Each structure stands twice: as C-alpha cells, then as structure tokens.
Amino acid sequence: MSDEAFILGPRHSVGKLVHAHDHATTFQQEHGVQIYLGSGGGENLGAAITQARLASLSFWPLVREVSDPIKWGAHPAPAREGARHVNYINRDIDQAALEALKPGHFVLLIGDSTAGKTRTAYEAAQQLLGDYRVFMPFDGSEAAIATELLRHDSRVLLWLDDLDVFMAPPAISVRIIDEVTQRNGIVLSTLRAERFNELSAREDRSAFDTERRLVRNARQIMSRAEKFFLDRRWSNEEVDRARTSTDPRLADAVNHADDYGVAEYLAAGPQLYEEWRNAWSPGAHPRAAALVASAIDFKRAGINKPVGIGELVRVHEHYLQENGGIRLRPETFEQAISWATDPLHATTSLLVPYDAGTYKAFDYLVDKVANSEKMKHIPDAVWDEVLSGHWDFDFHTVGEYAAKTGRTDLAERAYRLAESSDHEGKDAFRLGHVFATAGDYDQAENWYSRSADSGNVHALANLGYVYVKKRNFPQAEKYFSDAAQKGDEKATVGLATILLHQDRIDEADTWCQIAEDKGLPEAKVMRADIYMARGQLDLAEPIYLEMSDAFPQKVATGLGLLNLERENYRQAITHFETSLQGGEHGALLSLASCYFRLEDYAKAQDFSRNYIEEHPEDPIGYFNLAFYLHRATTPDLEEAKRQYRKAIELGYTKAATNLANLLSNEECFEEAEELYLMAVANGDSKAQSGLAHTYRMTRRFSSAITLLRRLISDGNIAAYREMGRVQEDMGRPNLAIVWLKKAVDMGDSRAGVRLGYIYERRGEPKKATPYYRVAAEDGDGHAYLHLAMIFEHRRDLSKAKELYQKAFENEDFEAAARIGRLYWREGDLESCVEWLRKGVDRGDEESKKLLSFFRYVDEARAQLAHSSALSGPEG
C-alpha cells in the first residue's frame, strides 16, 4: 500500500473544514493514507480523496487479501482458538450464485438478518474473484469512484453490503451501477428481506420530487440485479452438510436448527434476545433492557440511523414504568450502557455503538419483536419523540412505518413534518362529513384525522365509523375508545359495537351500560345485540320489536340474524331485505348466507357478487363467493380459485387455506404448500393440517411426522388420523391401525373409514363394518358407500341399495352409479336410468359414462331391430 500524502484546499467554511478534517481522519485510519488539510490548492474534499484513491490502483486490496469475512460485514461467531468465524458450509444457492458472478453482472443476495448473506457472498468472491480489486465505499455518493477505478482495470468488484444503506441519501445512482457493469466490473451486494419487501412495494406517490426520484432510482437498481434468496432456516441438505463439521460451534447451532437458522444462531441473536428478555428481572439489568427496548422501537418506527443516548434515555422511562418502575431496582445509566454494549462471546451486542454516543439495536432483536404478536405495539412515547421535529432525517419514511402499523394519526404528523405543511383550516370536520356521506372513506379519513389532530373529539368518533365502513375494526376501536374516554357519548355505542363484532362480549357490555346510563336510545338496540351474542334470543327479540320504529334498519339486521340463528331462513331473508333497502350493504352477505343454507347456490353467488360491486376492497366478499362456488351442486372450481386469490391479494390470508385445499385435491402440491405456509405464518391453525397432508402426498414423510407431532401435542384430533395415513402410506399398516384407533376413540369418525379400508384390504370385512357404521352415523357418505359395498358382496342387495341411497343423500355421489348397476342387473332399466341421471346432475363421472353406454346399447338395439324388419322373413 502506498504512503502518498495529499493537500486539501480550504474552499470551506470553518464548519465544513471541521467536517473535512473528520472525514479525512476517518479515511486515513481506514486506509492508511495521509491527507493534509492545507490553506491553498485543490478543489474540494471529495475530489482530493478521489485523487488519493486513484493515485495507484494497487492502493485497493485484492479480494484474496481481505481474507476475514468479518471485514466484509459478516456477523462474527463465538470466538474459538482466535477464530471469529466458522468453516463455511455450502448453501443450496452457491452454484447458481457462482454462475451469475461474472464480468458485467450485478448479483444481489436477499434474506433475513443473519441468514448468511454476507458470508455466502464473501465465499463466492474468494472462490472466483481473488485477483479482483475490491472497493467498499462509505456511502452511495462515494460509490461513483468505482467507475474511475474501472478506467484503469476492469477487474474491480464493487461491494455493497446492506444495499438499502446505499440507496438512501446520498444515494448511489442507477447510472453508476450501469457504468460498472457496462465496463465489465462486477457488483456484489446483500439486502435484508424486510427492506427488499418494503422497497418492492413502495409506490411513487410522495409529495416530494426528491422522494419520488429516490424510489424510482431504488427500483431501477433492484431491477438490474440477479437476485438470490437465502432462507433464515437452513434446508435439510444444508443442515446435513453442517453435521459433518468438527467445529463444536456448528454442532451446537445444528442442534437448534429447528428453531433458528444456523447462521442466525451462530450470530448470537437468540442468546442476545433471551438475555434482553431476562434482563427485566428486579436487580438484573432492567434499565439496560428499557434502553434496548427504546432502540428497538425507534428502528421499528422508521429511524434507521443510530439514535443518540439522550433520546434513548428520555423514552426508556416509559418502558421502565410499564414493567414496574423503581420496584425493578434499576441499575445506573453507566452500568446499563456498559452491559447493553458488552459483546456476547466476542460477537455483536444488544446495543451496537456508533459515533458520538449513538446506538442501534441489533437487527435480530428488531426482527424478533416485529414478528411477535405480544410486542407489536409501539408506545406513544417513542412516536412523540420521533415526531418532535428535532430529528434530522426523512420523516416520509416514518409516515410509511406509522401507516403500516395502522397509526394514521401519526402518519399524518410525520407527513406534515416531511412536507413542512401548515395546519388545516376550520372546515376539516365538515369536509370529513361530506366525504363520508358520499362514501369516499379515504378522503373522509384524511379530513377527520386533520380535524382530530386539532382537538375535535367528534372527529375521533367519526373516524371510528369511517373505519367500520372500511372494515378496519382495530382502528375503529382505537378511535371510538379515544372519543369515548374524552367525553363523546355516541362513541360509547360505536365502541360497544366494534367490541361485540370481535366477540369481546363482556367489554361490549361494559360500554353498552355506560351508554344506557347516559340515556342513549341506540344503547337499547345494542343491549339486544349483546343478548344475541350470548345466545339469549328470547331476551333479544322483544327489545328489537320495541325499537323497530325508532331504528328500523338496525332492528331489521338484528331480527334477520335472530331468525338465521333459529334456521328460519325465509323470515331472515325478509328482514335482511329491509335492512338492505335502508342502505346496509352488509345485508348482502347475510342474504347470501341464507340462500346458501337453502341450497339456492345461484342466489348465494349473486348476492356475493352484488356485495363485491359495492365493496370491491373487502376480501370477505370474494372469500364468500369462492366458498359458494366451491360448495355448489355443480362446483365452478376455476372461478372459486380466482376469487380465493383475489381475497388473498386483499390481505385475507384465511382464503389461502381454502385455496390450498382445492389445489391439493387437484394434486397441485407445490402451490398448495406455498399457500399453506403463508396461512400458517399468519396464524391460521387449520392450515397446518393441510400442510401435513401435502407433505404426505409428496412423500415427505419425515416433515409430515414432525409437523403432526406438534399438532398432536397441541390437541389436534385430526392429526391422529393423518398420522395414521402417513404410517399407512409408509407401508406400516399395524402402526396405522394404532393411530387411527386413537383418532376414533377421540371422536374422529372419519378415521373409522380409513380403518375400514385397511381391514377390507386385509380381507376382514367383519372388522371393517363397525367402524364404517360409526362414521355413517355421523353422516359420512363414504362410510355408507363402503357399508353398501360389503352388503352387495354378501348378496344382500336390498340392504345394499338402501345404504347406497344413504351414501348419495350424504353427498357421496358415486353411489348413484353403483345403485344404477344393481337395478340394471335386476332388469329394472327405468330405475337404473333414473339413478344414473341423479349422479350426472351431481357431477359423478361414472354415472355419466354408464348413462352414455346404456344409450349406446339402446340405439344399437333399435338399429338391429330396424335392420331385421327391412330384411323381411327368412326364406
């Protein structure tokens, strides 16, 4: 490395000269080049540093010379014999990434924090690009130097670890990426999956030209990359490769591979997380835990830069008080900072220190909290500090984060700071009412929010009603609660309504009582609704009838639900039609439900489509329509799948399970698995059974058994049956019988059908019969079918026909073809054709084939008779 020294000219103010001095000091410490800030000559700091770096191409190290992956940004592992990294374990994407890593290419590795992105990129570079010069810029603007280096030699690797850092101001330009690749340089980069998703989803709707340019630039950069995704959890093959290592650190990580990614575990994320959670204990490190919690939530609120100790100290008091305050015996600030920044086994710490007393929370902690159902709430203390106006960063990002968490009030404050806009005028509340009346709920939300920010309590209540219309019930609850607590009487009824909608009956009852005490007549209807929710229909009905004149629409809805519960579907329809005439579009869903129960599938579908026309943004309409298409007498499965997909696009992930079930029935297991995994990730427990079924059908028995064991431990009865199916498919009928009998003993009659199959195949129909009977008594049509087959084999045809008819009545339509054959054998062609037509009407393919065959036989007979008549008598 050269020892050149450079003089920087003073075309700066004193402040800029100080900045120049700091930058020069950082540069020389990083690279070992002396830079002098003189009084004359030179253009500016940036130009001088550029000249310094370009003085000799040999200044930049070769890839093979930077042989420590930690210097590339990889997370260190617990130290062992002086080594801070473990031997590399080949990842599944290695070969594809190596093939892409060639001159003129931009390769981007994407994955969760500590998924192993940086280490994988480092190993690929060492394997293929040892003779390349590696350039690691400080920020986006400095990356432009790469194009100058390429004028000297095309063997330059531009390394951009955490690409989102370089796409924030001062951002790297897509032009730089293009110039590097056009000159046969190579760009190698990593990006956290969370940031990739956010950048991919952003839209160019900012009020700022600069913001729009940043978004477009980021998207253009992303579009240039060849992307490779690393999963946080290692595949079975990767784990197997890791097991062959003699490194005890890897052996320990592999033991936890079911819970964490191997790389993630090695990076000490889980240990740090547990230490932080345990630090809240009295006399432990509660103040440090509160400081870490503050740093986590600052980052979750959109602050990606290090946070000063002053901000952390101000906010951490909220967390201390929330968890017990002085009773926790908090330590001193000095002790708290020392403990929180102390590296764990020579790796990263809970609080990662930066320059000038600033800190960031370790990424793993942020991801862990963001994915925790118990800790999703970001307290107002954090938002108040973030939105105080004292910070120097892009508030537009904070606005996006606030909106994403459902805090539109905070998003509005952030956008105001971002856009430096004035407060809105006195007509904000009136404008909100105008837009709400017109059905433009987005605009109503906007204006009510601005009015509410100015202190209008009624605007808070009206925001609640807007969110009810938009079916965003958590937000509606928040605004109703705020308004009610600030004295808005009608908000108490709104809050009770929204709580009841979420089946929080006791809470709804409390607020309903408050509304009744205030003398609000609407509260009486709410009281009837609460009776309905508790199943006290006889108490609800007289109240509805009493209040029908004062609140005809609300009462009509209540009476409709009451009759729906009593299975008086025709009467329910009459009430729902009254509700619909009053403008309650939700009645369309109720009408569809009534007609579905009356087996009028066409009308059920029509009302669902009408609801979708009125509320195209509500996924429930698409989900219900898909369900009715799926369950109709003649199912339209292709249309059902399209509607399920639309519901999923609109965020209703429960539709993923239904769609996956359809695809699984069609043996489209790959897509079905993706959907089941999506549903499981969003908390749909029913999807786990489907996922286990998919694993079984694709013969991944080990994965199926692992998942089924978890389900069984959670008390899932159906998992016993599926475990029996797995054992059966693995050729273990005795084990299958054990599991299936357990399922039957726990009340799963469908498992009895599988038991019957096994005994039948063994030639033991007597053992099969009692299990079929149990399932048949529970209305299982397939059980009736197999019972009928057993009696047919015994030549008890009368009993067989009776049981086939029961099977058909319980929706096993294959029975139509079988009962048709029996009548045909008896010579009763009329009854035969009658049953085959019933089967055809229900979509049974075998009935369709047999009916066509008999028609062909009749036509052949007719032609033969006609030919005989024409030929005349024999001579």
Side-chain angles (χ1 to χ4, degrees), residues 623-636:
F623 177 83
N624 286 7
L625 175 57
F627 182 79
Y628 299 144
L629 289 162
H630 177 194
R631 298 299 299 275
T633 304
T634 306
D636 187 344

Side-chain angles (χ1 to χ4, degrees), residues 600-637:
D600 190 340
Y601 302 113
K603 280 192 175 180
Q605 294 167 24
D606 288 343
F607 279 113
S608 297
R609 293 183 194 280
N610 292 341
Y611 181 81
I612 290 171
E613 289 178 9
E614 296 292 341
H615 298 280
E617 77 291 347
D618 187 1
I620 297 296
Y622 300 96
F623 177 83
N624 286 7
L625 175 57
F627 182 79
Y628 299 144
L629 289 162
H630 177 194
R631 298 299 299 275
T633 304
T634 306
D636 187 344
L637 299 184

Side-chain angles (χ1 to χ4, degrees), residues 734 737 741 744 751-774 787 790 794:
N734 291 333
I737 289 171
K741 281 185 175 179
V744 171
V753 179
R754 293 307 310 176
L755 269 173
Y757 292 166
I758 293 175
Y759 284 127
E760 272 199 273
R761 286 200 301 270
R762 285 183 166 188
E764 299 176 279
K766 287 185 178 180
K767 288 186 177 181
T769 301
Y771 290 106
Y772 284 142
R773 288 191 188 280
V774 170
L787 277 174
I790 289 173
R794 295 175 183 172

Side-chain angles (χ1 to χ4, degrees), residues 132 140 187 205 219 225 238 257-258 342 371 443 454-456 460 499 535 542 596 688 746 771 811 813 841-843 861:
Y132 272 62
V187 182
R205 296 191 294 185
R219 285 180 170 174
E238 291 170 335
D258 288 340
D342 184 34
N371 292 322
Q443 283 285 10
S454 67
N456 190 325
L460 287 172
L499 290 168
F596 174 74
Q688 295 185 69
M746 298 179 76
Y771 290 106
E811 300 188 346
F813 304 124
D841 291 341
R842 291 289 187 162
R861 285 174 175 170

